[in-house]
Amino acid sequence: MNIKEFDYILCIAKHQNITKAAQELYISQPTLSKYLQKLEHQLGCKLFGRVDNRYIPTHAGKRYLAYAKKMMALNQDWEKELKDITQCNEGELNIAFPLMRSSCMIPTILPAFYQKYPHIRINCLEETYAIQEKLLLDDQIDFAIFNESTPHPRLTYEPLGEEEIVLVVSPRHPFASMGIPGPDSPYPYIDLTLFASDNFILHFPEQTTGRIALDLFRKHKINPTVSLHTRNTQAAVLLVLQDLGVCFAPESYIKNMHFQTPPVCFSVGKPRICTTLSIACRKGSYMPLYALDFIKMVKKMMSR
């Protein structure tokens, strides 16, 4: 077994097609076909069956692919560690963020990061949480930053900090000045039931803020009028400022947006409604020094 062999077989499994796999690998289709035939002859078993011109892994093929993925991950860890040992000034960092989260974090962190690591390339993948988890398990990213979730046994988690989920209203809203100082929040507290007849602009239920909103409605026995569902927090807040409804948003999004006239933000929980931001990476995976420094910078940003 060697790395090239793993790469070839994984690519065939990815495309289920010899021609497409050969194109990605920059070799000819006959060369890849002969390579597969030779390997299957050496192993004494078929790795793929043919179904309507698709290459479908056999039982032996599935087991081979499982080990190939592990070996490729080990090789990636070795290459990262070797770069740390020999230079520590070039590399690549692949980070998955929830939709819109990178716009709040990256502009704040990157100036300091690039001052220390000017030759590290960063790839930001804005995904839903389910895709982040898939990317982690498929070894396609170094780590993911997202809100609290159900732990996965193959991942390790580290909390980065917490932030409040606030109710956002227009400064022209009739209740905009009705908040009172709360015991544990920098935002004035207001009773959410006052907004029972308002239009709400909500995140989708699979998003953290959308799920929290539904929990609050159940708790306060509110059957809201929802004028719009969106994954985009900035769009929701801008619509609020046009008096088209009210919305919920993580406080960091509001802090990192620029307004001519800012919205009014309320705390609606006692205690306040918070979500924990965490980083997740594969258990046992090697983390380059520049990745560890990036995480430290995120923690510093969250503490502010």
Side-chain angles (χ1 to χ4, degrees), residues 47-58:
L47 296 179
F48 296 94
R50 295 285 295 273
V51 179
D52 297 330
N53 292 321
R54 292 185 300 132
Y55 282 69
I56 306 299
T58 62

Side-chain angles (χ1 to χ4, degrees), residues 38 94 110 157 164 176 181 184 224 232 236 251 269 280-281 292:
K38 181 180 177 181
N94 299 293
L110 280 200
Y157 300 82
E164 187 168 4
D184 60 351
N232 190 313
E251 59 178 319
C281 61
L292 295 174

Side-chain angles (χ1 to χ4, degrees), residues 1-238:
M1 289 187 177
N2 56 59
I3 296 301
K4 182 176 76 170
E5 176 185 308
F6 297 144
D7 199 26
Y8 283 8
I9 303 305
L10 286 167
C11 197
I12 295 172
K14 172 185 173 183
H15 293 287
Q16 296 186 347
N17 182 280
I18 284 282
T19 302
K20 291 181 180 179
Q23 290 173 349
E24 181 174 322
L25 295 167
Y26 297 102
I27 60 175
S28 69
Q29 183 267 332
T31 298
L32 185 57
S33 293
K34 290 178 181 177
Y35 193 94
L36 176 59
Q37 291 171 7
K38 181 180 177 181
L39 176 60
E40 289 179 329
H41 179 73
Q42 290 173 347
L43 296 174
C45 62
K46 287 285 187 181
L47 296 179
F48 296 94
R50 295 285 295 273
V51 179
D52 297 330
N53 292 321
R54 292 185 300 132
Y55 282 69
I56 306 299
T58 62
H59 175 69
K62 291 177 181 178
R63 298 306 304 143
Y64 180 98
L65 290 167
Y67 281 100
K69 289 178 181 179
K70 292 177 183 178
M71 294 299 290
M72 291 293 284
L74 284 172
N75 185 65
Q76 289 172 7
D77 285 348
W78 160 239
E79 289 179 349
K80 290 174 184 176
E81 186 167 357
L82 180 61
K83 278 188 177 181
D84 273 353
I85 294 170
T86 58
Q87 47 191 306
C88 198
N89 61 357
E90 291 185 3
E92 184 176 81
L93 194 55
N94 299 293
I95 312 169
F97 291 89
L99 294 170
M100 304 298 297
R101 173 68 68 176
S102 63
S103 63
C104 299
M105 305 182 75
I106 291 297
T108 303
I109 297 167
L110 280 200
F113 181 84
Y114 278 140
Q115 191 170 21
K116 188 171 183 179
Y117 300 103
H119 303 297
I120 301 297
R121 182 171 68 234
I122 294 181
N123 300 314
C124 296
L125 306 171
E126 293 186 304
E127 309 285 358
T128 64
Y129 170 70
I131 297 177
Q132 288 174 340
E133 184 178 79
K134 180 178 182 299
L135 289 171
L136 277 170
L137 298 177
D138 286 348
D139 306 323
Q140 296 182 45
I141 60 175
D142 294 295
F143 56 84
I145 293 175
F146 48 83
N147 294 108
E148 57 195 51
S149 58
T150 303
H152 191 285
R154 290 177 57 188
L155 301 177
T156 182
Y157 300 82
E158 182 178 356
L160 296 173
E162 68 173 22
E163 62 178 339
E164 187 168 4
I165 304 299
V166 294
L167 178 69
V168 184
V169 308
S170 164
R172 294 175 296 278
H173 193 284
F175 301 150
S177 60
M178 290 182 60
I180 59 175
D184 60 351
S185 172
Y187 304 98
Y189 172 80
I190 198 165
D191 186 346
L192 184 60
T193 59
L194 292 173
F195 298 86
S197 60
D198 277 70
N199 287 322
F200 279 85
I201 301 165
L202 297 180
H203 288 116
F204 285 93
E206 64 268 23
Q207 294 176 268
T208 300
T209 307
R211 174 179 52 78
I212 288 174
L214 294 181
D215 290 342
L216 284 168
F217 293 144
R218 281 192 289 267
K219 178 180 178 181
H220 293 278
K221 298 179 179 170
I222 296 172
N223 185 20
T225 299
V226 181
S227 58
L228 175 71
H229 278 99
T230 177
R231 298 187 187 281
N232 190 313
T233 300
Q234 183 172 357
V237 174
L238 292 177

